[in-house]
């Protein structure tokens, strides 16, 4: 039982570390929610304030009521993994290794969450015309996306853009240098650059529709995201079998809360010539 409890805690910590360092949903979204997640369907609240009015001062001040405004997000996505093992000690020793089953499960859960968040592109306040991206026009594309966000009053330093790998290739050919975003635990592996006046990330999880990849950009307050590792369990003996098993669950949810600060641009690979 002690071995089982130890492995369950380590696997849960592994999923959390992977998401902290590699999950773009955790990086680009507002994650400051109030509430406790215990199961799928739970609701959490993102609290904010109405913006005050600005008026001409003519010797007297008028005080208005500022009511708390809250956005409710339902944690409605529920993803699980489960696999058989022969040796629990060997499993515990492998946790954290790049090719271990637990590490792969963590990465696959991360992919599911990012895919869901990037699938919200239809709620963007601005959708640009389709662009066939080449090394010659890629900087113009980024500039146009940034312009749309600046017109929505999103300042430099508060802007992110997520691009597919083929757009990263064009940026590299245009002279932009990328690095690895190491995350909070130093184990991140996300391609990243801040050379363009905003944070540009690379992901394979962007939505694809009609052969076009939906490049997405926004402010760090445009999307709300919440997640919870509900449970990880080790089953000492499966029913009708001597095998052991490991299983786990991640629940999450996301919602566009400031559509004016979210921009989508359908892109295709225009080649490198």
């Amino acid at each position: 039982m002690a071995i089982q409890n130890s492995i369950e805690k380590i696997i849960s910590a592994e999923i959390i570390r992977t998401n902290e360092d590699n999950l773009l949903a955790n990086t680009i979204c507002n994650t400051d929610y109030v509430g406790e997640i215990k199961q799928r369907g739970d609701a959490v609240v993102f609290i904010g304030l109405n913006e005050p009015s600005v008026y001409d001062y003519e010797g007297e001040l008028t005080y208005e009521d500022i009511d708390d405004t809250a956005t409710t997000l339902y944690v409605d996505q529920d993803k699980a993994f489960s696999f058989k093992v022969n040796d629990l000690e060997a499993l515990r020793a492998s946790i954290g290794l790049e090719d271990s089953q637990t590490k792969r499960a963590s990465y696959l859960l991360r992919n599911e969450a990012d895919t869901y968040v990037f699938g919200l592109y239809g709620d963007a306040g601005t959708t640009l015309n389709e662009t066939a991206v080449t090394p010659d026009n890629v900087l113009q594309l980024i500039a146009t996306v940034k312009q749309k966000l600046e017109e929505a009053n999103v300042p430099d330093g508060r802007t992110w853009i997520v691009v597919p790998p083929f757009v990263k290739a064009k940026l590299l050919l245009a002279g932009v240098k990328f690095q690895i975003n190491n995350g909070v635990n130093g184990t991140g592996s996300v391609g990243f650059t801040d050379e363009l006046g905003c944070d540009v990330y690379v992901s394979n999880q962007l939505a694809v529709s009609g052969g076009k990849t939906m490049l997405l950009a926004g402010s760090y307050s445009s999307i709300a995201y919440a997640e919870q590792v509900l449970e990880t369990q080790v089953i000492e003996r499966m029913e009708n079998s001597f095998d052991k098993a490991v299983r786990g669950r991640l629940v999450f949810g996301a919602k566009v809360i400031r559509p004016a600060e979210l921009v989508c641009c359908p892109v295709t690979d225009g080649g490198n010539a």
Side-chain angles (χ1 to χ4, degrees):
M1 180 63 70
I3 293 177
Q4 290 178 241
N5 291 339
S6 173
I7 293 175
E8 289 169 359
K9 291 177 181 178
I10 294 172
I11 293 175
S12 180
E14 178 76 7
I15 295 170
I16 292 171
R17 278 197 305 271
T18 298
N19 282 0
E20 285 177 336
D21 281 353
N22 297 281
L23 178 63
L24 285 179
N26 266 334
T27 301
I28 65 174
C29 296
N30 181 343
T31 57
D32 297 328
Y33 62 86
V34 176
E36 188 174 359
I37 302 172
K38 294 183 178 180
Q39 61 186 355
R40 177 175 61 184
D42 281 350
V44 295
V45 176
F46 288 77
I47 300 215
L49 291 174
N50 285 322
E51 294 185 356
S53 300
V54 176
Y55 54 90
D56 293 330
Y57 176 68
E58 297 179 352
E60 293 185 5
L61 297 175
T62 301
Y63 294 91
E64 61 183 332
D65 292 328
I66 297 294
D67 297 325
D68 286 340
T69 59
T71 296
T72 300
L73 185 155
Y74 292 96
V75 181
D76 56 0
Q77 302 299 301
D78 194 341
K79 303 296 180 179
F81 65 88
S82 55
F83 54 85
K84 296 179 182 179
V85 294
N86 294 320
D87 187 336
L88 290 180
E89 285 289 1
L91 173 67
R92 181 164 63 177
S94 73
I95 293 175
L97 299 179
E98 284 300 321
D99 294 327
S100 69
Q101 288 172 304
T102 55
K103 176 67 79 172
R104 293 305 306 161
S106 299
Y107 278 124
L108 292 173
L109 288 174
R110 173 209 68 179
N111 290 348
E112 291 286 342
D114 275 346
T115 298
Y116 181 76
V117 169
F118 298 145
L120 300 176
Y121 69 89
D123 294 330
T126 300
T127 299
L128 301 176
N129 293 330
E130 177 185 341
T131 301
V133 187
T134 68
D136 290 334
N137 68 10
V138 66
L139 293 179
Q140 179 180 347
L141 168 66
I142 298 298
T144 300
V145 170
K146 284 184 79 265
Q147 176 186 338
K148 293 301 180 182
L149 291 173
E150 288 170 0
E151 289 172 352
N153 295 318
V154 181
D156 282 349
R158 292 293 302 160
T159 301
W160 53 263
I161 303 176
V162 181
V163 304
F166 69 82
V167 172
K168 175 190 174 184
K170 317 305 180 196
L171 288 168
L172 288 170
L173 290 171
V176 177
K177 296 180 181 179
F178 279 77
Q179 58 185 305
I180 296 298
N181 182 10
N182 290 321
V184 297
N185 301 298
T187 60
S189 59
V190 177
F192 163 82
T193 184
D194 57 4
E195 287 195 358
L196 299 172
C198 60
D199 297 328
V200 179
Y201 301 94
V202 184
S203 176
N204 276 318
Q205 310 322 128
L206 286 166
V208 177
S209 177
K212 298 176 286 291
T213 301
M214 300 302 171
L215 180 150
L216 204 60
S219 76
Y220 283 96
S221 301
S222 57
I223 304 174
Y225 175 78
E227 68 170 21
Q228 180 67 47
V229 178
L230 276 192
E231 55 189 333
T232 54
Q233 294 181 339
V234 173
I235 302 172
E236 181 66 31
R237 178 174 293 180
M238 299 180 65
E239 186 177 355
N240 300 322
S241 171
F242 291 104
D243 289 325
K244 305 171 181 61
V246 176
R247 61 190 183 188
R249 289 173 62 198
L250 176 75
V251 293
F252 58 90
K255 182 178 183 179
V256 175
I257 55 177
R258 293 187 179 179
E261 299 179 8
L262 193 65
V263 176
C264 173
C265 182
V267 293
T268 58
D269 190 342
N272 294 331

